[in-house]
Amino acid sequence: MRPAASGEAPVATKRPKDRKDRIALAGAELFCERGYHRVSVDEIAAVVGISGPAVYRHFPNKYAILVHATREVVGALLGATADPQATTAEGVLNEQLAALAGVAVGKRRVAGLYQWERRYLTPEHRREFAAILATLVGRLAGPLRELRPELTAGQADLLVNAALSAFGSVSTHRATATGTEHLLTRIAWTLLRADAPQSPPSEQTTPPTTAVRPSSRRELLLTEAIRLFHRHGYHAVAVEDIGRAAGMQASSVYRYFPSKADLLAAAYYRATDRLGGATTAAIAEATDPVDALHRVVHAYAAFAFAQSDLVAVYLAENNNLPDEDRHQLRGAQRSNVEEWVQLVVAVRPELPVADARVLVHAVLNVITDIGRLGRFDSAAGYDEQTARLALTVLQA
């Protein structure tokens, strides 16, 4: 109800019919920008322009907003691929890929829910969204196998997942290019036409574990913190959990790290240093830009497979870093990406720098997503196959 002028009766105002969707969108954007646990219901309400209690007329709690927003994202993906009008397999795929590119760009501010924030969903909701994504993969894999009958079902699914990863990569950065949707569609087609790796190692395969624990107490604490942050998420892990995993009292942890945030920052500095070192070494050993580009991609894949817990934390927990560390580390991350971008431009001088930047982010995302599909198991050369698949992105 809005205030009335003097002497007039109060004028009732209607609640917008789409207020629930506005709340979910505001929540999704804040979750992706700052992380689920760092956002309050009152902050979501402020973005929408309502009070905190008004949110509860639509959602019982913050978690319900996360579920609704995630459903909106995956629902948009399903909607984009429904009822294609083309009559050939290639035409169907072309329609679906173009539509998915539009969703990826249009929802890039909230697509992070699809990649990382869904970690906070309950097992029930994770199963729900896994089933939806399996339906999405099937919609593209069917016409792909018509187009490429030599592919096994597993290979077709893997290539489709790689294409979806390329679309999802736009949510991991802010780089833009002229005709980003068209570029993403080209990348997706390049991946679908690539030589398919063998299917990922079976999910029943138990990945190798490190039998030797670090002898240094500081190193042991950092190793266990990285493992727990990856498995449960930063906010679900307490200092006591890290100390227990390392065989120490919580009080002993503080002798090496003043806080849990310092442990997270140490993990990020480690990942940044090792990635930067791997990139520098790969370039130094190369004979020309083409060789250097191949080497840095393979070096990143080798690092992602060997240090999968560290890479997962590096990609997922940025929002939980202390502000000063976050600013410094983001600068280092951008510098590493720019090394790749300059190599891509050296190999393909006709390519605009902005396009090269989008390609590089797609390569990085494909390696981590396809690696995750195979549980980062390097058996039978799956790490090398993943690197070769990711390299095809640079031909788009």
Side-chain angles (χ1 to χ4, degrees), residues 118-134:
R118 62 176 176 160
R119 292 173 301 157
Y120 302 115
L121 297 171
T122 63
E124 175 189 0
H125 287 127
R126 288 186 192 180
R127 287 191 294 271
E128 174 189 335
F129 295 118
I132 294 172
L133 293 175

PDB file of all heavy atoms in Angstrom, residues 118-134:
ATOM      1  N   ARG A 118      25.864 -25.582  -6.505  1.00  0.00           N
ATOM      2  CA  ARG A 118      24.987 -26.731  -6.263  1.00  0.00           C
ATOM      3  C   ARG A 118      25.616 -27.740  -5.308  1.00  0.00           C
ATOM      4  O   ARG A 118      24.963 -28.688  -4.889  1.00  0.00           O
ATOM      5  CB  ARG A 118      24.597 -27.411  -7.575  1.00  0.00           C
ATOM      6  CG  ARG A 118      25.740 -27.987  -8.368  1.00  0.00           C
ATOM      7  CD  ARG A 118      25.233 -28.713  -9.589  1.00  0.00           C
ATOM      8  NE  ARG A 118      26.323 -29.200 -10.410  1.00  0.00           N
ATOM      9  CZ  ARG A 118      26.220 -30.154 -11.306  1.00  0.00           C
ATOM     10  NH1 ARG A 118      25.064 -30.747 -11.491  1.00  0.00           N
ATOM     11  NH2 ARG A 118      27.251 -30.538 -12.026  1.00  0.00           N
ATOM     12  N   ARG A 119      26.883 -27.529  -4.955  1.00  0.00           N
ATOM     13  CA  ARG A 119      27.511 -28.381  -3.935  1.00  0.00           C
ATOM     14  C   ARG A 119      26.736 -28.353  -2.635  1.00  0.00           C
ATOM     15  O   ARG A 119      26.796 -29.275  -1.832  1.00  0.00           O
ATOM     16  CB  ARG A 119      28.942 -27.891  -3.632  1.00  0.00           C
ATOM     17  CG  ARG A 119      29.936 -28.047  -4.734  1.00  0.00           C
ATOM     18  CD  ARG A 119      31.234 -27.368  -4.350  1.00  0.00           C
ATOM     19  NE  ARG A 119      31.020 -25.952  -4.081  1.00  0.00           N
ATOM     20  CZ  ARG A 119      31.807 -25.209  -3.328  1.00  0.00           C
ATOM     21  NH1 ARG A 119      32.840 -25.749  -2.727  1.00  0.00           N
ATOM     22  NH2 ARG A 119      31.570 -23.940  -3.152  1.00  0.00           N
ATOM     23  N   TYR A 120      26.017 -27.269  -2.401  1.00  0.00           N
ATOM     24  CA  TYR A 120      25.331 -27.086  -1.125  1.00  0.00           C
ATOM     25  C   TYR A 120      23.933 -27.685  -1.117  1.00  0.00           C
ATOM     26  O   TYR A 120      23.201 -27.536  -0.138  1.00  0.00           O
ATOM     27  CB  TYR A 120      25.286 -25.592  -0.776  1.00  0.00           C
ATOM     28  CG  TYR A 120      26.663 -24.989  -0.703  1.00  0.00           C
ATOM     29  CD1 TYR A 120      27.086 -24.016  -1.597  1.00  0.00           C
ATOM     30  CD2 TYR A 120      27.571 -25.428   0.260  1.00  0.00           C
ATOM     31  CE1 TYR A 120      28.368 -23.484  -1.536  1.00  0.00           C
ATOM     32  CE2 TYR A 120      28.851 -24.904   0.332  1.00  0.00           C
ATOM     33  CZ  TYR A 120      29.243 -23.937  -0.569  1.00  0.00           C
ATOM     34  OH  TYR A 120      30.522 -23.429  -0.513  1.00  0.00           O
ATOM     35  N   LEU A 121      23.569 -28.349  -2.206  1.00  0.00           N
ATOM     36  CA  LEU A 121      22.268 -29.009  -2.254  1.00  0.00           C
ATOM     37  C   LEU A 121      22.291 -30.313  -1.461  1.00  0.00           C
ATOM     38  O   LEU A 121      23.341 -30.946  -1.314  1.00  0.00           O
ATOM     39  CB  LEU A 121      21.884 -29.307  -3.712  1.00  0.00           C
ATOM     40  CG  LEU A 121      21.695 -28.096  -4.618  1.00  0.00           C
ATOM     41  CD1 LEU A 121      21.537 -28.549  -6.069  1.00  0.00           C
ATOM     42  CD2 LEU A 121      20.489 -27.270  -4.183  1.00  0.00           C
ATOM     43  N   THR A 122      21.140 -30.729  -0.987  1.00  0.00           N
ATOM     44  CA  THR A 122      21.028 -32.017  -0.306  1.00  0.00           C
ATOM     45  C   THR A 122      21.180 -33.138  -1.339  1.00  0.00           C
ATOM     46  O   THR A 122      20.991 -32.921  -2.546  1.00  0.00           O
ATOM     47  CB  THR A 122      19.658 -32.159   0.363  1.00  0.00           C
ATOM     48  OG1 THR A 122      18.644 -32.128  -0.662  1.00  0.00           O
ATOM     49  CG2 THR A 122      19.417 -31.040   1.366  1.00  0.00           C
ATOM     50  N   PRO A 123      21.509 -34.351  -0.901  1.00  0.00           N
ATOM     51  CA  PRO A 123      21.617 -35.478  -1.847  1.00  0.00           C
ATOM     52  C   PRO A 123      20.368 -35.653  -2.694  1.00  0.00           C
ATOM     53  O   PRO A 123      20.452 -35.966  -3.882  1.00  0.00           O
ATOM     54  CB  PRO A 123      21.858 -36.681  -0.930  1.00  0.00           C
ATOM     55  CG  PRO A 123      22.559 -36.099   0.268  1.00  0.00           C
ATOM     56  CD  PRO A 123      21.936 -34.748   0.462  1.00  0.00           C
ATOM     57  N   GLU A 124      19.193 -35.431  -2.102  1.00  0.00           N
ATOM     58  CA  GLU A 124      17.947 -35.575  -2.853  1.00  0.00           C
ATOM     59  C   GLU A 124      17.897 -34.609  -4.032  1.00  0.00           C
ATOM     60  O   GLU A 124      17.562 -34.987  -5.166  1.00  0.00           O
ATOM     61  CB  GLU A 124      16.756 -35.322  -1.927  1.00  0.00           C
ATOM     62  CG  GLU A 124      15.408 -35.328  -2.645  1.00  0.00           C
ATOM     63  CD  GLU A 124      14.267 -34.858  -1.757  1.00  0.00           C
ATOM     64  OE1 GLU A 124      14.516 -34.523  -0.578  1.00  0.00           O
ATOM     65  OE2 GLU A 124      13.133 -34.813  -2.254  1.00  0.00           O
ATOM     66  N   HIS A 125      18.242 -33.360  -3.779  1.00  0.00           N
ATOM     67  CA  HIS A 125      18.198 -32.371  -4.850  1.00  0.00           C
ATOM     68  C   HIS A 125      19.350 -32.561  -5.832  1.00  0.00           C
ATOM     69  O   HIS A 125      19.196 -32.280  -7.026  1.00  0.00           O
ATOM     70  CB  HIS A 125      18.206 -30.962  -4.262  1.00  0.00           C
ATOM     71  CG  HIS A 125      16.904 -30.587  -3.627  1.00  0.00           C
ATOM     72  ND1 HIS A 125      16.801 -30.117  -2.339  1.00  0.00           N
ATOM     73  CD2 HIS A 125      15.630 -30.641  -4.104  1.00  0.00           C
ATOM     74  CE1 HIS A 125      15.536 -29.885  -2.059  1.00  0.00           C
ATOM     75  NE2 HIS A 125      14.808 -30.194  -3.103  1.00  0.00           N
ATOM     76  N   ARG A 126      20.463 -33.044  -5.365  1.00  0.00           N
ATOM     77  CA  ARG A 126      21.556 -33.345  -6.302  1.00  0.00           C
ATOM     78  C   ARG A 126      21.122 -34.428  -7.285  1.00  0.00           C
ATOM     79  O   ARG A 126      21.416 -34.343  -8.479  1.00  0.00           O
ATOM     80  CB  ARG A 126      22.803 -33.804  -5.546  1.00  0.00           C
ATOM     81  CG  ARG A 126      23.521 -32.704  -4.799  1.00  0.00           C
ATOM     82  CD  ARG A 126      24.803 -33.211  -4.198  1.00  0.00           C
ATOM     83  NE  ARG A 126      25.375 -32.281  -3.242  1.00  0.00           N
ATOM     84  CZ  ARG A 126      26.493 -32.491  -2.571  1.00  0.00           C
ATOM     85  NH1 ARG A 126      27.156 -33.620  -2.742  1.00  0.00           N
ATOM     86  NH2 ARG A 126      26.941 -31.591  -1.723  1.00  0.00           N
ATOM     87  N   ARG A 127      20.431 -35.436  -6.776  1.00  0.00           N
ATOM     88  CA  ARG A 127      19.948 -36.504  -7.665  1.00  0.00           C
ATOM     89  C   ARG A 127      18.938 -35.945  -8.663  1.00  0.00           C
ATOM     90  O   ARG A 127      18.924 -36.331  -9.836  1.00  0.00           O
ATOM     91  CB  ARG A 127      19.330 -37.639  -6.834  1.00  0.00           C
ATOM     92  CG  ARG A 127      20.345 -38.478  -6.081  1.00  0.00           C
ATOM     93  CD  ARG A 127      19.711 -39.736  -5.513  1.00  0.00           C
ATOM     94  NE  ARG A 127      18.719 -39.436  -4.487  1.00  0.00           N
ATOM     95  CZ  ARG A 127      19.010 -39.315  -3.190  1.00  0.00           C
ATOM     96  NH1 ARG A 127      20.255 -39.480  -2.771  1.00  0.00           N
ATOM     97  NH2 ARG A 127      18.049 -39.065  -2.308  1.00  0.00           N
ATOM     98  N   GLU A 128      18.087 -35.050  -8.190  1.00  0.00           N
ATOM     99  CA  GLU A 128      17.096 -34.438  -9.081  1.00  0.00           C
ATOM    100  C   GLU A 128      17.783 -33.724 -10.243  1.00  0.00           C
ATOM    101  O   GLU A 128      17.420 -33.907 -11.414  1.00  0.00           O
ATOM    102  CB  GLU A 128      16.239 -33.441  -8.293  1.00  0.00           C
ATOM    103  CG  GLU A 128      15.276 -32.649  -9.168  1.00  0.00           C
ATOM    104  CD  GLU A 128      14.599 -31.511  -8.401  1.00  0.00           C
ATOM    105  OE1 GLU A 128      14.488 -31.598  -7.150  1.00  0.00           O
ATOM    106  OE2 GLU A 128      14.192 -30.535  -9.061  1.00  0.00           O
ATOM    107  N   PHE A 129      18.780 -32.916  -9.920  1.00  0.00           N
ATOM    108  CA  PHE A 129      19.428 -32.144 -10.970  1.00  0.00           C
ATOM    109  C   PHE A 129      20.339 -33.015 -11.830  1.00  0.00           C
ATOM    110  O   PHE A 129      20.503 -32.746 -13.029  1.00  0.00           O
ATOM    111  CB  PHE A 129      20.178 -30.969 -10.359  1.00  0.00           C
ATOM    112  CG  PHE A 129      19.255 -29.967  -9.707  1.00  0.00           C
ATOM    113  CD1 PHE A 129      19.333 -29.691  -8.362  1.00  0.00           C
ATOM    114  CD2 PHE A 129      18.267 -29.347 -10.454  1.00  0.00           C
ATOM    115  CE1 PHE A 129      18.463 -28.806  -7.763  1.00  0.00           C
ATOM    116  CE2 PHE A 129      17.385 -28.453  -9.871  1.00  0.00           C
ATOM    117  CZ  PHE A 129      17.482 -28.178  -8.525  1.00  0.00           C
ATOM    118  N   ALA A 130      20.905 -34.055 -11.252  1.00  0.00           N
ATOM    119  CA  ALA A 130      21.705 -34.984 -12.059  1.00  0.00           C
ATOM    120  C   ALA A 130      20.829 -35.664 -13.101  1.00  0.00           C
ATOM    121  O   ALA A 130      21.241 -35.865 -14.257  1.00  0.00           O
ATOM    122  CB  ALA A 130      22.370 -36.024 -11.163  1.00  0.00           C
ATOM    123  N   ALA A 131      19.592 -36.007 -12.722  1.00  0.00           N
ATOM    124  CA  ALA A 131      18.664 -36.634 -13.670  1.00  0.00           C
ATOM    125  C   ALA A 131      18.297 -35.667 -14.787  1.00  0.00           C
ATOM    126  O   ALA A 131      18.208 -36.050 -15.967  1.00  0.00           O
ATOM    127  CB  ALA A 131      17.411 -37.100 -12.940  1.00  0.00           C
ATOM    128  N   ILE A 132      18.095 -34.398 -14.437  1.00  0.00           N
ATOM    129  CA  ILE A 132      17.766 -33.395 -15.452  1.00  0.00           C
ATOM    130  C   ILE A 132      18.933 -33.222 -16.422  1.00  0.00           C
ATOM    131  O   ILE A 132      18.748 -33.162 -17.647  1.00  0.00           O
ATOM    132  CB  ILE A 132      17.413 -32.054 -14.791  1.00  0.00           C
ATOM    133  CG1 ILE A 132      16.120 -32.189 -13.989  1.00  0.00           C
ATOM    134  CG2 ILE A 132      17.275 -30.953 -15.845  1.00  0.00           C
ATOM    135  CD1 ILE A 132      15.784 -30.971 -13.152  1.00  0.00           C
ATOM    136  N   LEU A 133      20.138 -33.157 -15.887  1.00  0.00           N
ATOM    137  CA  LEU A 133      21.311 -32.976 -16.748  1.00  0.00           C
ATOM    138  C   LEU A 133      21.542 -34.201 -17.621  1.00  0.00           C
ATOM    139  O   LEU A 133      21.991 -34.078 -18.770  1.00  0.00           O
ATOM    140  CB  LEU A 133      22.541 -32.673 -15.889  1.00  0.00           C
ATOM    141  CG  LEU A 133      22.485 -31.328 -15.158  1.00  0.00           C
ATOM    142  CD1 LEU A 133      23.678 -31.167 -14.227  1.00  0.00           C
ATOM    143  CD2 LEU A 133      22.427 -30.173 -16.148  1.00  0.00           C
ATOM    144  N   ALA A 134      21.234 -35.389 -17.099  1.00  0.00           N
ATOM    145  CA  ALA A 134      21.343 -36.599 -17.916  1.00  0.00           C
ATOM    146  C   ALA A 134      20.360 -36.540 -19.090  1.00  0.00           C
ATOM    147  O   ALA A 134      20.683 -36.955 -20.215  1.00  0.00           O
ATOM    148  CB  ALA A 134      21.083 -37.839 -17.064  1.00  0.00           C
TER     149      ALA A 134
END
